[in-house]
mmCIF file of all heavy atoms in Angstrom:
data_model
loop_
_atom_site.group_PDB
_atom_site.id
_atom_site.type_symbol
_atom_site.label_atom_id
_atom_site.label_comp_id
_atom_site.label_asym_id
_atom_site.label_seq_id
_atom_site.Cartn_x
_atom_site.Cartn_y
_atom_site.Cartn_z
ATOM 1 N N GLY K 231 -134.092 -74.362 -102.120
ATOM 2 C CA GLY K 231 -133.601 -75.728 -102.229
ATOM 3 C C GLY K 231 -133.494 -76.221 -103.656
ATOM 4 O O GLY K 231 -132.552 -76.884 -104.050
ATOM 5 N N LEU K 232 -134.509 -75.870 -104.459
ATOM 6 C CA LEU K 232 -134.588 -76.270 -105.864
ATOM 7 C C LEU K 232 -133.404 -75.604 -106.611
ATOM 8 O O LEU K 232 -132.777 -76.252 -107.464
ATOM 9 C CB LEU K 232 -135.862 -75.897 -106.420
ATOM 10 C CG LEU K 232 -136.229 -76.431 -107.808
ATOM 11 C CD1 LEU K 232 -136.281 -77.973 -107.791
ATOM 12 C CD2 LEU K 232 -137.552 -75.859 -108.347
ATOM 13 N N MET K 233 -133.146 -74.342 -106.324
ATOM 14 C CA MET K 233 -132.078 -73.657 -106.974
ATOM 15 C C MET K 233 -130.697 -74.243 -106.624
ATOM 16 O O MET K 233 -129.829 -74.383 -107.490
ATOM 17 C CB MET K 233 -132.117 -72.129 -106.653
ATOM 18 C CG MET K 233 -133.346 -71.439 -107.155
ATOM 19 S SD MET K 233 -133.650 -69.816 -106.439
ATOM 20 C CE MET K 233 -132.262 -68.911 -107.177
ATOM 21 N N ASP K 234 -130.532 -74.596 -105.349
ATOM 22 C CA ASP K 234 -129.280 -75.244 -104.928
ATOM 23 C C ASP K 234 -129.105 -76.563 -105.627
ATOM 24 O O ASP K 234 -128.028 -76.956 -106.024
ATOM 25 C CB ASP K 234 -129.221 -75.382 -103.417
ATOM 26 C CG ASP K 234 -129.169 -74.056 -102.687
ATOM 27 O OD1 ASP K 234 -128.705 -73.094 -103.323
ATOM 28 O OD2 ASP K 234 -129.523 -74.030 -101.465
ATOM 29 N N GLN K 235 -130.220 -77.281 -105.740
ATOM 30 C CA GLN K 235 -130.188 -78.601 -106.421
ATOM 31 C C GLN K 235 -129.819 -78.457 -107.851
ATOM 32 O O GLN K 235 -129.028 -79.286 -108.405
ATOM 33 C CB GLN K 235 -131.564 -79.292 -106.238
ATOM 34 C CG GLN K 235 -131.707 -80.641 -106.962
ATOM 35 C CD GLN K 235 -133.052 -81.210 -106.844
ATOM 36 O OE1 GLN K 235 -133.896 -80.787 -106.055
ATOM 37 N NE2 GLN K 235 -133.337 -82.249 -107.678
ATOM 38 N N ALA K 236 -130.309 -77.435 -108.529
ATOM 39 C CA ALA K 236 -129.993 -77.213 -109.949
ATOM 40 C C ALA K 236 -128.536 -76.891 -110.111
ATOM 41 O O ALA K 236 -127.864 -77.342 -111.032
ATOM 42 C CB ALA K 236 -130.858 -76.044 -110.479
ATOM 43 N N ASP K 237 -128.045 -76.009 -109.178
ATOM 44 C CA ASP K 237 -126.576 -75.650 -109.295
ATOM 45 C C ASP K 237 -125.707 -76.868 -109.033
ATOM 46 O O ASP K 237 -124.751 -77.108 -109.736
ATOM 47 C CB ASP K 237 -126.241 -74.606 -108.227
ATOM 48 C CG ASP K 237 -126.885 -73.259 -108.578
ATOM 49 O OD1 ASP K 237 -127.244 -73.069 -109.783
ATOM 50 O OD2 ASP K 237 -127.080 -72.408 -107.619
ATOM 51 N N ALA K 238 -126.106 -77.713 -108.114
ATOM 52 C CA ALA K 238 -125.285 -78.914 -107.807
ATOM 53 C C ALA K 238 -125.365 -79.910 -108.997
ATOM 54 O O ALA K 238 -124.311 -80.502 -109.321
ATOM 55 C CB ALA K 238 -125.775 -79.608 -106.525
ATOM 56 N N ALA K 239 -126.541 -80.053 -109.597
ATOM 57 C CA ALA K 239 -126.655 -80.972 -110.749
ATOM 58 C C ALA K 239 -125.833 -80.529 -111.937
ATOM 59 O O ALA K 239 -125.185 -81.266 -112.609
ATOM 60 C CB ALA K 239 -128.093 -81.116 -111.151
ATOM 61 N N ALA K 240 -125.859 -79.180 -112.209
ATOM 62 C CA ALA K 240 -125.142 -78.639 -113.320
ATOM 63 C C ALA K 240 -123.627 -78.724 -113.158
ATOM 64 O O ALA K 240 -122.889 -78.750 -114.120
ATOM 65 C CB ALA K 240 -125.533 -77.185 -113.529
ATOM 66 N N ALA K 241 -123.174 -78.840 -111.891
ATOM 67 C CA ALA K 241 -121.754 -78.914 -111.613
ATOM 68 C C ALA K 241 -121.212 -80.322 -111.727
ATOM 69 O O ALA K 241 -119.958 -80.492 -111.728
ATOM 70 C CB ALA K 241 -121.456 -78.358 -110.239
ATOM 71 N N LEU K 242 -122.047 -81.341 -111.807
ATOM 72 C CA LEU K 242 -121.566 -82.711 -111.898
ATOM 73 C C LEU K 242 -120.915 -82.973 -113.261
ATOM 74 O O LEU K 242 -121.349 -82.372 -114.270
ATOM 75 C CB LEU K 242 -122.730 -83.703 -111.682
ATOM 76 C CG LEU K 242 -123.367 -83.681 -110.300
ATOM 77 C CD1 LEU K 242 -124.574 -84.617 -110.251
ATOM 78 C CD2 LEU K 242 -122.358 -84.138 -109.239
ATOM 79 N N ALA K 243 -120.017 -83.877 -113.278
ATOM 80 C CA ALA K 243 -119.362 -84.207 -114.528
ATOM 81 C C ALA K 243 -120.341 -84.926 -115.451
ATOM 82 O O ALA K 243 -121.206 -85.651 -115.018
ATOM 83 C CB ALA K 243 -118.139 -85.131 -114.323
ATOM 84 N N PRO K 244 -120.207 -84.778 -116.810
ATOM 85 C CA PRO K 244 -121.091 -85.458 -117.772
ATOM 86 C C PRO K 244 -120.943 -86.961 -117.606
ATOM 87 O O PRO K 244 -119.870 -87.517 -117.332
ATOM 88 C CB PRO K 244 -120.574 -84.987 -119.111
ATOM 89 C CG PRO K 244 -119.871 -83.678 -118.807
ATOM 90 C CD PRO K 244 -119.237 -83.847 -117.489
ATOM 91 N N ALA K 245 -122.118 -87.643 -117.811
ATOM 92 C CA ALA K 245 -122.156 -89.107 -117.789
ATOM 93 C C ALA K 245 -123.002 -89.525 -118.932
ATOM 94 O O ALA K 245 -123.752 -88.762 -119.467
ATOM 95 C CB ALA K 245 -122.718 -89.553 -116.436
ATOM 96 N N PRO K 246 -122.869 -90.779 -119.320
ATOM 97 C CA PRO K 246 -123.729 -91.343 -120.427
ATOM 98 C C PRO K 246 -125.216 -91.037 -120.140
ATOM 99 O O PRO K 246 -125.691 -91.182 -118.987
ATOM 100 C CB PRO K 246 -123.386 -92.787 -120.489
ATOM 101 C CG PRO K 246 -122.032 -92.925 -119.940
ATOM 102 C CD PRO K 246 -121.952 -91.857 -118.880
ATOM 103 N N LEU K 247 -125.921 -90.661 -121.199
ATOM 104 C CA LEU K 247 -127.316 -90.257 -121.019
ATOM 105 C C LEU K 247 -128.225 -91.322 -120.303
ATOM 106 O O LEU K 247 -128.956 -90.974 -119.408
ATOM 107 C CB LEU K 247 -127.960 -89.962 -122.385
ATOM 108 C CG LEU K 247 -129.429 -89.487 -122.349
ATOM 109 C CD1 LEU K 247 -129.583 -88.222 -121.498
ATOM 110 C CD2 LEU K 247 -129.915 -89.222 -123.790
ATOM 111 N N PRO K 248 -128.052 -92.642 -120.591
ATOM 112 C CA PRO K 248 -128.872 -93.621 -119.930
ATOM 113 C C PRO K 248 -128.600 -93.594 -118.380
ATOM 114 O O PRO K 248 -129.544 -93.810 -117.599
ATOM 115 C CB PRO K 248 -128.446 -94.944 -120.531
ATOM 116 C CG PRO K 248 -127.993 -94.584 -121.908
ATOM 117 C CD PRO K 248 -127.298 -93.276 -121.723
ATOM 118 N N ASP K 249 -127.337 -93.344 -118.000
ATOM 119 C CA ASP K 249 -127.050 -93.319 -116.611
ATOM 120 C C ASP K 249 -127.591 -92.061 -115.945
ATOM 121 O O ASP K 249 -128.126 -92.167 -114.807
ATOM 122 C CB ASP K 249 -125.497 -93.317 -116.397
ATOM 123 C CG ASP K 249 -124.879 -94.664 -116.893
ATOM 124 O OD1 ASP K 249 -125.632 -95.660 -117.009
ATOM 125 O OD2 ASP K 249 -123.634 -94.660 -117.119
ATOM 126 N N VAL K 250 -127.547 -90.960 -116.629
ATOM 127 C CA VAL K 250 -128.111 -89.690 -116.097
ATOM 128 C C VAL K 250 -129.593 -89.842 -115.914
ATOM 129 O O VAL K 250 -130.136 -89.335 -114.904
ATOM 130 C CB VAL K 250 -127.767 -88.514 -117.034
ATOM 131 C CG1 VAL K 250 -128.515 -87.267 -116.637
ATOM 132 C CG2 VAL K 250 -126.274 -88.257 -117.085
ATOM 133 N N LEU K 251 -130.309 -90.492 -116.818
ATOM 134 C CA LEU K 251 -131.731 -90.602 -116.744
ATOM 135 C C LEU K 251 -132.182 -91.443 -115.614
ATOM 136 O O LEU K 251 -133.372 -91.412 -115.173
ATOM 137 C CB LEU K 251 -132.299 -91.201 -118.072
ATOM 138 C CG LEU K 251 -132.167 -90.236 -119.228
ATOM 139 C CD1 LEU K 251 -132.635 -90.983 -120.529
ATOM 140 C CD2 LEU K 251 -133.092 -89.011 -119.045
ATOM 141 N N THR K 252 -131.301 -92.294 -115.004
ATOM 142 C CA THR K 252 -131.666 -93.081 -113.861
ATOM 143 C C THR K 252 -131.512 -92.356 -112.564
ATOM 144 O O THR K 252 -131.864 -92.858 -111.462
ATOM 145 C CB THR K 252 -130.790 -94.369 -113.788
ATOM 146 O OG1 THR K 252 -129.427 -94.005 -113.676
ATOM 147 C CG2 THR K 252 -130.989 -95.215 -115.066
ATOM 148 N N ALA K 253 -130.950 -91.122 -112.571
ATOM 149 C CA ALA K 253 -130.785 -90.269 -111.388
ATOM 150 C C ALA K 253 -132.207 -89.925 -110.862
ATOM 151 O O ALA K 253 -133.183 -89.829 -111.628
ATOM 152 C CB ALA K 253 -129.924 -89.102 -111.693
ATOM 153 N N PRO K 254 -132.323 -89.634 -109.570
ATOM 154 C CA PRO K 254 -133.668 -89.180 -109.023
ATOM 155 C C PRO K 254 -134.245 -88.024 -109.725
ATOM 156 O O PRO K 254 -135.448 -87.980 -109.969
ATOM 157 C CB PRO K 254 -133.306 -88.867 -107.553
ATOM 158 C CG PRO K 254 -132.077 -89.667 -107.233
ATOM 159 C CD PRO K 254 -131.286 -89.744 -108.489
ATOM 160 N N ASP K 255 -133.444 -87.053 -110.128
ATOM 161 C CA ASP K 255 -133.903 -85.926 -110.908
ATOM 162 C C ASP K 255 -132.815 -85.463 -111.876
ATOM 163 O O ASP K 255 -131.909 -84.789 -111.472
ATOM 164 C CB ASP K 255 -134.294 -84.709 -109.977
ATOM 165 C CG ASP K 255 -135.026 -83.661 -110.769
ATOM 166 O OD1 ASP K 255 -135.149 -83.791 -112.003
ATOM 167 O OD2 ASP K 255 -135.448 -82.666 -110.170
ATOM 168 N N PRO K 256 -132.942 -85.930 -113.158
ATOM 169 C CA PRO K 256 -131.871 -85.629 -114.099
ATOM 170 C C PRO K 256 -131.795 -84.203 -114.608
ATOM 171 O O PRO K 256 -130.862 -83.860 -115.338
ATOM 172 C CB PRO K 256 -132.157 -86.603 -115.258
ATOM 173 C CG PRO K 256 -133.344 -87.419 -114.836
ATOM 174 C CD PRO K 256 -134.000 -86.730 -113.736
ATOM 175 N N GLU K 257 -132.832 -83.422 -114.249
ATOM 176 C CA GLU K 257 -132.824 -82.029 -114.893
ATOM 177 C C GLU K 257 -131.575 -81.293 -114.449
ATOM 178 O O GLU K 257 -131.086 -81.376 -113.347
ATOM 179 C CB GLU K 257 -134.068 -81.285 -114.433
ATOM 180 C CG GLU K 257 -134.240 -80.006 -115.184
ATOM 181 C CD GLU K 257 -135.608 -79.360 -115.002
ATOM 182 O OE1 GLU K 257 -136.285 -79.699 -114.011
ATOM 183 O OE2 GLU K 257 -135.948 -78.503 -115.814
ATOM 184 N N PHE K 258 -131.005 -80.527 -115.396
ATOM 185 C CA PHE K 258 -129.813 -79.711 -115.247
ATOM 186 C C PHE K 258 -128.540 -80.546 -115.277
ATOM 187 O O PHE K 258 -127.472 -79.958 -115.239
ATOM 188 C CB PHE K 258 -129.887 -78.845 -113.994
ATOM 189 C CG PHE K 258 -131.036 -77.957 -113.940
ATOM 190 C CD1 PHE K 258 -132.123 -78.211 -113.081
ATOM 191 C CD2 PHE K 258 -131.105 -76.767 -114.740
ATOM 192 C CE1 PHE K 258 -133.241 -77.377 -113.064
ATOM 193 C CE2 PHE K 258 -132.215 -75.976 -114.725
ATOM 194 C CZ PHE K 258 -133.271 -76.276 -113.863
ATOM 195 N N ARG K 259 -128.661 -81.865 -115.370
ATOM 196 C CA ARG K 259 -127.471 -82.647 -115.483
ATOM 197 C C ARG K 259 -126.899 -82.592 -116.891
ATOM 198 O O ARG K 259 -127.633 -82.417 -117.862
ATOM 199 C CB ARG K 259 -127.774 -84.120 -115.144
ATOM 200 C CG ARG K 259 -127.983 -84.469 -113.707
ATOM 201 C CD ARG K 259 -126.695 -84.475 -112.871
ATOM 202 N NE ARG K 259 -125.731 -85.339 -113.475
ATOM 203 C CZ ARG K 259 -125.626 -86.618 -113.169
ATOM 204 N NH1 ARG K 259 -126.442 -87.179 -112.340
ATOM 205 N NH2 ARG K 259 -124.660 -87.390 -113.739
ATOM 206 N N LYS K 260 -125.577 -82.735 -116.981
ATOM 207 C CA LYS K 260 -124.929 -82.859 -118.331
ATOM 208 C C LYS K 260 -124.736 -84.310 -118.632
ATOM 209 O O LYS K 260 -124.455 -85.123 -117.802
ATOM 210 C CB LYS K 260 -123.603 -82.095 -118.288
ATOM 211 C CG LYS K 260 -123.771 -80.604 -118.201
ATOM 212 C CD LYS K 260 -122.426 -79.899 -118.272
ATOM 213 C CE LYS K 260 -122.569 -78.390 -118.292
ATOM 214 N NZ LYS K 260 -123.256 -77.804 -117.143
ATOM 215 N N ALA K 261 -124.902 -84.592 -119.919
ATOM 216 C CA ALA K 261 -124.868 -86.032 -120.376
ATOM 217 C C ALA K 261 -124.043 -86.129 -121.674
ATOM 218 O O ALA K 261 -123.919 -85.174 -122.419
ATOM 219 C CB ALA K 261 -126.260 -86.576 -120.584
ATOM 220 N N LEU K 262 -123.532 -87.300 -121.879
ATOM 221 C CA LEU K 262 -122.807 -87.637 -123.113
ATOM 222 C C LEU K 262 -123.770 -88.447 -124.014
ATOM 223 O O LEU K 262 -124.338 -89.441 -123.593
ATOM 224 C CB LEU K 262 -121.574 -88.505 -122.819
ATOM 225 C CG LEU K 262 -120.509 -87.862 -121.866
ATOM 226 C CD1 LEU K 262 -119.493 -88.890 -121.447
ATOM 227 C CD2 LEU K 262 -119.835 -86.693 -122.547
ATOM 228 N N VAL K 263 -123.893 -87.955 -125.297
ATOM 229 C CA VAL K 263 -124.757 -88.637 -126.218
ATOM 230 C C VAL K 263 -124.015 -88.755 -127.538
ATOM 231 O O VAL K 263 -123.124 -87.960 -127.852
ATOM 232 C CB VAL K 263 -126.085 -87.931 -126.382
ATOM 233 C CG1 VAL K 263 -126.874 -87.899 -125.160
ATOM 234 C CG2 VAL K 263 -125.874 -86.544 -126.914
ATOM 235 N N VAL K 264 -124.523 -89.697 -128.351
ATOM 236 C CA VAL K 264 -124.036 -89.794 -129.719
ATOM 237 C C VAL K 264 -125.323 -89.751 -130.605
ATOM 238 O O VAL K 264 -126.208 -90.587 -130.508
ATOM 239 C CB VAL K 264 -123.299 -91.178 -129.965
ATOM 240 C CG1 VAL K 264 -122.932 -91.288 -131.461
ATOM 241 C CG2 VAL K 264 -122.034 -91.223 -129.156
ATOM 242 N N CYS K 265 -125.380 -88.754 -131.425
ATOM 243 C CA CYS K 265 -126.500 -88.544 -132.375
ATOM 244 C C CYS K 265 -126.002 -88.657 -133.799
ATOM 245 O O CYS K 265 -125.118 -87.849 -134.220
ATOM 246 C CB CYS K 265 -127.171 -87.166 -132.175
ATOM 247 S SG CYS K 265 -128.200 -87.059 -130.678
ATOM 248 N N ARG K 266 -126.499 -89.630 -134.524
ATOM 249 C CA ARG K 266 -126.020 -89.809 -135.859
ATOM 250 C C ARG K 266 -126.716 -88.791 -136.782
ATOM 251 O O ARG K 266 -127.901 -88.538 -136.769
ATOM 252 C CB ARG K 266 -126.360 -91.228 -136.390
ATOM 253 C CG ARG K 266 -125.505 -92.257 -135.680
ATOM 254 C CD ARG K 266 -125.710 -93.662 -136.290
ATOM 255 N NE ARG K 266 -124.760 -94.629 -135.750
ATOM 256 C CZ ARG K 266 -123.538 -94.873 -136.248
ATOM 257 N NH1 ARG K 266 -123.107 -94.154 -137.293
ATOM 258 N NH2 ARG K 266 -122.725 -95.731 -135.640
ATOM 259 N N GLY K 267 -125.897 -88.148 -137.663
ATOM 260 C CA GLY K 267 -126.378 -87.235 -138.648
ATOM 261 C C GLY K 267 -126.925 -85.908 -138.137
ATOM 262 O O GLY K 267 -127.564 -85.139 -138.871
ATOM 263 N N LEU K 268 -126.644 -85.598 -136.862
ATOM 264 C CA LEU K 268 -127.246 -84.348 -136.323
ATOM 265 C C LEU K 268 -126.769 -83.061 -137.011
ATOM 266 O O LEU K 268 -127.636 -82.203 -137.200
ATOM 267 C CB LEU K 268 -126.904 -84.252 -134.811
ATOM 268 C CG LEU K 268 -127.527 -83.047 -134.083
ATOM 269 C CD1 LEU K 268 -129.045 -83.203 -134.074
ATOM 270 C CD2 LEU K 268 -126.966 -82.944 -132.655
ATOM 271 N N PRO K 269 -125.510 -82.947 -137.431
ATOM 272 C CA PRO K 269 -125.110 -81.661 -138.007
ATOM 273 C C PRO K 269 -125.933 -81.332 -139.338
ATOM 274 O O PRO K 269 -126.005 -80.133 -139.699
ATOM 275 C CB PRO K 269 -123.624 -81.864 -138.311
ATOM 276 C CG PRO K 269 -123.209 -82.871 -137.339
ATOM 277 C CD PRO K 269 -124.366 -83.800 -137.194
#
């Protein structure tokens, strides 16, 4: 069940990071972020 949950989470479209973090279990989710000066 955990493996199926991970596959389903990874298949979801990216969403803003604050929204993803409010999900019941954000692990394996893709998120949109803006990091200043990261490169």
Side-chain angles (χ1 to χ4, degrees):
L232 191 63
M233 294 168 68
D234 292 340
Q235 179 182 345
D237 291 340
L242 294 175
L247 181 59
D249 295 342
V250 171
L251 290 173
T252 61
D255 189 356
E257 189 168 20
F258 302 105
R259 285 287 306 272
K260 291 183 174 62
L262 301 170
V263 297
V264 175
C265 284
R266 289 188 174 273
L268 183 65

